[in-house]
Amino acid sequence: MAVPPFTRPHRLLPLFLGLFQGALLLFFALFVTYDEPSAQAEDTNVVANQVYSTFPFLQDIQVMLVVGLGLLLTFLPRYGFSALTHNFLLLNFSMQWALVLQGLLHHFHHGQVQLDLHKILTAEFAAVTVLISVGSILGRTSPCQLLVMATCEVPIYLASEWIIVTCLGVLDVGGTITIHIFSCYFGLGVSKSLFKAVQQPPHPKETPTPRSDLMSLVGTLILWVFWPSFVAVLCQPGDAQHRAILNTLLAMSASAITTMVVSSLLERDGKLSPGHLQNGSLAGGVAIGVVADMAMPPVAALALGSLSAAACVLGFRFLTPLLGRKLTLHDQCGIHNLHGLPGILGAAASVVAILVASEDTSESHSPQLSPAGGNASEVGGGQWGARGASGQALCQAAGLVVAIGASLLAGLLIGATLRLPCLAQPPKQLCFDDSLYFKIQDEAESPGPDSTAEEGALALKEQV
């Protein structure tokens, strides 16, 4: 079967990446520099303290994204190479693209952008949104489609974050609203538009194997261990950061136990579902991010972790099939259950936490919860400025609405763009298969017994 020349990813992909990296080299050569070294001992100590306090968190986040999230996506048995490599590619591509956009929009002074660890960190947060969104269309898209999606999603995320955090003043130190909810509904919008209203039948290569499920569970464990660093890295050092770490640990511990309880109860024989463990154990980390640095009792973190895990597992069991039947919505990795539902719970919890804290401080006149970067007042109501606690709670709710609405609309538009033939969307019979993008010697020489002659021929023509 002849393959149209413009749909061959091995011709378009290196051209796209080569032009991008060349343009980035030119931009860095002309506009990017480092801070001037300071001769003052005090300034030198400040810089050293910033490096030593930030870089360990950054390393933890790198392990999360490169290893943990990459392995989490390997539950598709014949798509492991692609899941790991595309995740790694998108992380680096999106991070560099975010550095350029952030530099031009926020850090361009006197013709220069001064680079530091904090800018790298915020650029990686922008990349996280892409890595999460891709989960909804994993295995059914080409690398070119994923790169175009990342190119569009990063600036939309930066605009959404600016509106939510700067304009509305939403408190969200762990990115529950700005990252998890935004990326979830952006990915679902892309999926809905890309696959139109066609019900996606089960693909024979979608069924996980014990080996692929085990690899994915290892990714979950890595993410679980390092998640507190992701939540706490942008908190003010001291009490707020300490509180964020503690709350995250409690929420994730509760979500791990609750996942096992709910998963076992949903099965008649009481057995555990690997898919539930891979996702539900992380739900507490998603939900706690928006309230992690707030001075709430430990039981609140435990309760939020348990509720988010239950919502995640129940979503996999009941909501995902329902959305598939009623809305023909395809969500390959179940990002709605891991990022959407727990994110909404976390946003609702932030509204409750702000209102409850305001009532407590108005009665006792004790210090109230202090979000990272905020100036806590010693008397009730002063912390939120002119808007007051009720106004801040409304802003939290408004931020949730903006994140969902903007991401869904943008995702639908970008999904329509990804249907362009030149972006080389793989044919259905070749989805979820590494042989389409990798030279795997054994499979290239002798396609498996379950492969048809036509599929083997197409795979050989499409390899890169």
Side-chain angles (χ1 to χ4, degrees):
M1 179 183 293
V3 179
F6 293 106
T7 63
R8 292 181 179 177
H10 68 276
R11 294 185 178 182
L12 186 58
L13 181 62
L15 177 63
F16 188 103
L17 289 175
L19 290 175
F20 168 79
Q21 198 65 64
L24 197 82
L25 286 170
L26 181 61
F27 177 82
F28 268 62
L30 295 176
F31 303 113
V32 179
T33 184
Y34 295 118
D35 290 337
E36 292 293 333
S38 174
Q40 299 293 328
E42 293 182 358
D43 294 339
T44 302
N45 290 335
V46 169
V47 173
N49 290 334
Q50 289 176 344
V51 172
Y52 296 146
S53 63
T54 303
F55 188 61
F57 285 110
L58 180 60
Q59 284 183 305
D60 291 352
I61 295 171
Q62 293 274 54
V63 174
M64 285 180 63
L65 301 182
V66 176
V67 185
L69 184 57
L71 289 176
L72 180 64
L73 300 177
T74 60
F75 65 94
L76 297 169
R78 298 182 62 178
Y79 201 70
F81 283 110
S82 301
L84 278 168
T85 305
H86 294 165
N87 180 75
F88 187 48
L89 170 63
L90 288 171
L91 171 62
N92 286 281
F93 176 87
S94 303
M95 185 267 289
Q96 293 185 37
W97 179 223
L99 277 176
V100 172
L101 294 176
Q102 288 178 338
L104 292 174
L105 294 174
H106 304 300
H107 310 298
F108 199 73
H109 302 294
H110 307 294
Q112 293 290 319
V113 176
Q114 292 186 333
L115 196 61
D116 57 28
L117 273 180
H118 185 267
K119 294 181 180 66
I120 294 287
L121 183 63
T122 54
E124 290 210 345
F125 280 175
V128 171
T129 62
V130 177
L131 303 184
I132 294 173
S133 298
V134 164
S136 65
I137 55 176
L138 185 72
R140 296 183 183 267
T141 46
S142 69
C144 296
Q145 287 177 303
L146 299 180
L147 289 171
V148 170
M149 174 178 165
T151 304
C152 299
E153 182 172 2
V154 170
I156 296 171
Y157 159 75
L158 294 176
S160 170
E161 183 197 37
W162 180 78
I163 293 172
I164 293 172
V165 175
T166 304
C167 298
L168 294 177
V170 171
L171 304 174
D172 185 20
V173 71
T176 298
I177 297 173
T178 55
I179 294 177
H180 293 286
I181 290 179
F182 173 88
S183 56
C184 168
Y185 289 98
F186 184 92
L188 294 179
V190 169
S191 176
K192 178 64 177 177
S193 183
L194 177 60
F195 302 122
K196 301 180 181 178
V198 179
Q199 179 71 40
Q200 296 293 323
H203 197 283
K205 299 173 188 175
E206 282 185 273
T207 305
T209 63
R211 182 183 179 87
S212 65
D213 266 336
L214 179 61
M215 292 294 292
S216 183
L217 186 57
V218 171
T220 295
L221 298 179
I222 294 172
L223 287 168
W224 193 94
V225 169
F226 291 107
W227 203 289
S229 295
F230 182 86
V231 173
V233 63
L234 293 181
C235 292
Q236 291 281 47
D239 289 341
Q241 198 167 69
H242 183 219
R243 194 160 49 239
I245 294 172
L246 292 176
N247 284 331
T248 305
L249 287 171
L250 289 174
M252 298 200 70
S253 181
S255 66
I257 293 177
T258 303
T259 297
M260 297 186 186
V261 172
V262 178
S263 179
S264 179
L265 290 175
L266 289 177
E267 300 295 334
R268 291 183 179 178
D269 54 6
K271 294 182 179 180
L272 300 175
S273 166
H276 295 166
L277 295 179
Q278 293 156 8
N279 294 274
S281 303
L282 303 173
V286 174
I288 198 66
V290 69
V291 295
D293 59 338
M294 296 183 181
M296 58 186 185
V299 67
L302 287 171
L304 185 57
S306 295
L307 286 173
S308 59
C312 179
V313 175
L314 293 173
F316 271 102
R317 182 62 182 269
F318 301 109
L319 187 58
T320 295
L322 179 65
L323 294 177
R325 291 194 307 269
K326 300 298 184 180
L327 301 180
T328 61
L329 184 62
H330 175 77
D331 183 7
Q332 186 64 47
C333 295
I335 62 172
H336 188 238
N337 305 315
L338 176 54
H339 302 277
L341 297 179
I344 293 173
L345 276 175
S350 71
V351 173
V352 174
I354 289 170
L355 294 176
V356 170
S358 175
E359 292 177 0
D360 291 344
T361 53
S362 64
E363 294 175 0
S364 62
H365 299 287
S366 60
Q368 59 189 124
L369 74 172
S370 176
N375 297 318
S377 173
E378 293 296 325
V379 293
Q383 178 182 355
W384 316 115
R387 66 179 59 173
S390 59
Q392 183 63 46
L394 286 175
C395 287
Q396 298 293 116
L400 174 64
V401 172
V402 170
I404 294 176
S407 58
L408 266 178
L409 178 60
L412 290 170
L413 295 175
I414 303 306
T417 304
L418 298 186
R419 295 204 301 264
L420 293 174
C422 64
L423 296 181
Q425 183 171 342
K428 291 181 180 179
Q429 66 269 30
L430 291 180
C431 291
F432 311 112
D433 201 323
D434 287 325
S435 64
L436 185 58
Y437 305 111
F438 289 85
K439 187 174 182 180
I440 303 174
Q441 194 65 29
D442 292 339
E443 291 186 22
E445 292 179 351
S446 57
D450 57 339
S451 301
T452 63
E454 177 181 320
E455 181 177 339
L458 279 174
L460 288 173
K461 289 182 179 180
E462 292 287 348
Q463 283 175 359
V464 294

